[in-house]
Amino acid sequence: QQKRSSYQENQMIKLQRLIDKYIGSILIFFLSFLKVFDKKKNIKKRFLIIKLWAIGDSVISLVLIKAIKTLYNGAKVDVLIRNQNKDIFDCYPLDNIHNMDKKFTKFMFKNIRKYDVVIDCEPYLNLSAIYGFILGKKRIGFSDQFRSLLYNNKIKFNKKQHMVQNYLDMVRSLGKKYDVDKLEKMTPPKKNIIKIKDFLKKNKIKKCVGISVGVGGSAKNRMWYEKRFATLSDKIIKELKLDVVFIDSPNNDYIVQEIISHMSQKAHIATKGFDLKDRIALISRCSVFISNDSGLMHVGAAQGCRTIGLFGPNTPILWGPYGKNNIGIYKTRLPPSIDNVKAIFKDEKRMKYMGAISVNDVFLTIKKKI
């Protein structure tokens, strides 16, 4: 049932991308003619960040919000999000969170051209560019795409630098200088922190390694092998005398169960009954966090946990866990098969991408981090 749910989620994502690509392009073509009516305005203090997709991207985008608050004293920063990534922004101080899945039409009509600056953090969506055009006097987004017709400031999506720097280039385009060496930390609600404290106490967990084994709906070839996760977990428990906690979404519980079936040691599971805010709170308590190239990997880096990311189809240069205590393990000789700007997520050659990483590669890295 979980596999079927995951498949259906992936098919829905593909359908949404097709609608966005073709219908969105038509709308952008006609809206671009209205750009001649744009007026040069001084930037005041009302900003909107658009981030509709991806947990990890949402975590990274928090540095952009921090930059605006730092550079523009008294600035009001709102975000436009969806249910899928709402919990990330609920754990960070913001002026307003506008959920596209709730009362969105009312919000759009009330805020036509009300924002001084709209920053579109989506790498390829036409829809986000259209929303930005409707809501903002000045729009900033990535260049070299058809949708960039609607932007005033166009930023190159640079694959040779980290995504943090790509986002910060957006605020730099306003003539400001700003940089960071770490992600912004999130603070889950007190009830989630208490829940995790009780979970650790009940299971007598004092020092643990957190492991996230799943990936999002697209490009499943980013996932390391189940039996290798099992062997690695056994080595951590036996040789390092640390607890292992599998931290993942309920949709990935079936993967965790398969890994557990291959293990000789006892591990703990935090999947079913744990929402994203719970996971953020739990990852914050881990000594080391190991993850595929997924959203939770960026959560680990943001929470100050020593984070190890496992990479294959994507490169850690662009998407690695940001911060000096973190590392991305990347050993494949194949070129990246994921192109975020072009919405290309090839799901193939899993063994050649992720199979290049051995259990010992990861285990020795954990020992160094410990």
Side-chain angles (χ1 to χ4, degrees):
Q1 186 177 0
Q2 288 172 329
K3 286 182 180 179
R4 184 164 59 250
S5 175
S6 180
Y7 173 78
Q8 290 171 345
E9 177 190 359
N10 196 22
Q11 294 304 110
M12 182 59 67
I13 290 171
K14 288 180 179 179
L15 176 61
Q16 289 173 347
R17 285 177 180 153
L18 283 173
I19 293 171
D20 178 84
K21 181 178 180 180
Y22 293 105
I23 297 179
S25 295
I26 294 169
L27 289 172
I28 285 171
F29 175 76
F30 287 106
L31 287 174
S32 65
F33 290 103
L34 300 177
K35 196 177 174 184
V36 296
F37 297 106
D38 279 349
K39 296 179 181 179
K40 289 187 177 180
K41 299 258 184 182
N42 291 328
I43 296 172
K44 295 180 182 177
K45 293 186 177 179
R46 198 173 181 205
F47 290 77
L48 177 70
I49 306 295
I50 299 179
K51 191 70 207 112
L52 307 176
W53 210 264
I55 298 302
D57 252 18
S58 300
V59 173
I60 293 173
S61 73
L62 298 179
V63 301
L64 182 56
I65 296 167
K66 175 67 172 182
I68 294 168
K69 289 281 192 179
T70 302
L71 295 169
Y72 293 90
N73 186 35
K76 301 292 184 183
V77 183
D78 296 355
V79 293
L80 178 61
I81 52 91
R82 298 194 67 178
N83 283 334
Q84 189 250 13
N85 60 340
K86 179 178 179 293
D87 283 355
I88 296 297
F89 296 100
D90 279 343
C91 295
Y92 193 77
L94 286 159
D95 292 291
N96 292 289
I97 298 175
H98 303 289
N99 191 340
M100 192 178 131
D101 297 318
K102 294 181 180 179
K103 299 180 181 179
F104 181 60
T105 304
K106 182 179 179 181
F107 163 72
M108 289 289 285
F109 278 114
K110 285 181 65 177
N111 291 281
I112 295 173
R113 291 295 170 102
K114 290 289 180 69
Y115 288 94
D116 298 306
V117 180
V118 174
I119 300 179
D120 182 5
C121 289
E122 289 299 326
Y124 61 85
L125 286 179
N126 287 324
L127 195 62
S128 60
I130 293 168
Y131 292 156
F133 186 83
I134 294 169
L135 295 167
K137 301 180 182 79
K138 188 180 188 73
R139 286 87 55 195
I140 303 173
F142 291 116
S143 63
D144 302 321
Q145 302 175 54
F146 186 70
R147 66 183 189 145
S148 61
L149 285 172
L150 301 185
Y151 301 137
N152 304 107
N153 291 17
K154 302 173 186 181
I155 309 304
K156 181 176 176 59
F157 189 100
N158 188 344
K159 298 175 184 177
K160 295 182 179 180
Q161 67 179 12
H162 198 278
M163 198 63 199
V164 165
Q165 299 301 325
N166 282 321
Y167 281 155
L168 291 181
D169 280 345
M170 292 180 165
V171 77
R172 291 170 186 147
S173 76
L174 297 172
K176 302 288 187 178
K177 292 183 179 181
Y178 190 83
D179 205 357
V180 295
D181 58 5
K182 62 182 179 180
L183 298 179
E184 285 294 297
K185 190 171 185 177
M186 294 163 282
T187 304
K190 188 175 180 180
K191 67 176 183 178
N192 301 92
I193 295 172
I194 292 172
K195 177 180 176 179
I196 294 308
K197 185 178 179 180
D198 291 342
F199 169 78
L200 295 172
K201 184 177 180 181
K202 178 181 177 182
N203 290 282
K204 299 179 180 179
I205 301 171
K206 293 182 179 180
K207 192 173 184 181
C208 66
V209 173
I211 300 180
S212 176
V213 300
V215 293
S218 57
K220 291 290 187 181
N221 59 345
R222 291 176 293 161
M223 192 167 69
W224 200 41
Y225 281 83
E226 292 86 343
K227 287 186 178 180
R228 296 189 191 185
F229 271 123
T231 303
L232 175 67
S233 300
D234 279 337
K235 283 175 71 67
I236 292 169
I237 297 167
K238 286 191 293 185
E239 298 183 31
L240 300 181
K241 308 301 180 184
L242 297 172
D243 285 300
V244 167
V245 183
F246 289 102
I247 307 169
D248 225 309
S249 72
N251 286 341
N252 289 325
D253 180 69
Y254 73 97
I255 304 172
V256 173
Q257 295 299 335
E258 181 180 346
I259 292 168
I260 293 287
S261 72
H262 296 298
M263 290 179 61
S264 62
Q265 304 294 308
K266 181 185 176 182
H268 305 278
I269 302 174
T271 53
K272 292 182 178 179
F274 292 80
D275 62 21
L276 183 52
K277 292 174 185 175
D278 294 329
R279 280 173 258 155
I280 293 170
L282 180 51
I283 290 170
S284 302
R285 299 289 297 270
C286 295
S287 298
V288 175
F289 186 63
I290 305 155
S291 175
N292 296 308
D293 170 22
S294 71
L296 289 184
M297 178 194 70
H298 297 292
V299 170
Q303 297 309 100
C305 180
R306 288 164 286 190
T307 300
I308 300 168
L310 310 181
F311 285 81
N314 236 338
T315 166
I317 293 173
L318 182 63
W319 293 107
Y322 196 74
K324 65 180 180 180
N325 290 322
N326 310 313
I327 188 170
I329 300 177
Y330 181 66
K331 297 192 70 178
T332 183
R333 295 183 179 181
L334 294 176
S337 65
I338 294 175
D339 189 327
N340 300 86
V341 176
K342 296 180 180 179
I344 296 172
F345 302 91
K346 293 180 181 177
D347 197 359
E348 58 185 21
K349 299 178 182 177
R350 182 186 176 196
M351 175 52 77
K352 289 187 177 181
Y353 279 113
M354 300 305 295
I357 301 173
S358 71
V359 170
N360 212 39
D361 289 330
V362 185
F363 184 71
L364 291 176
T365 306
I366 296 169
K367 287 183 73 175
K368 290 177 183 178
K369 294 296 175 186
I370 292 293

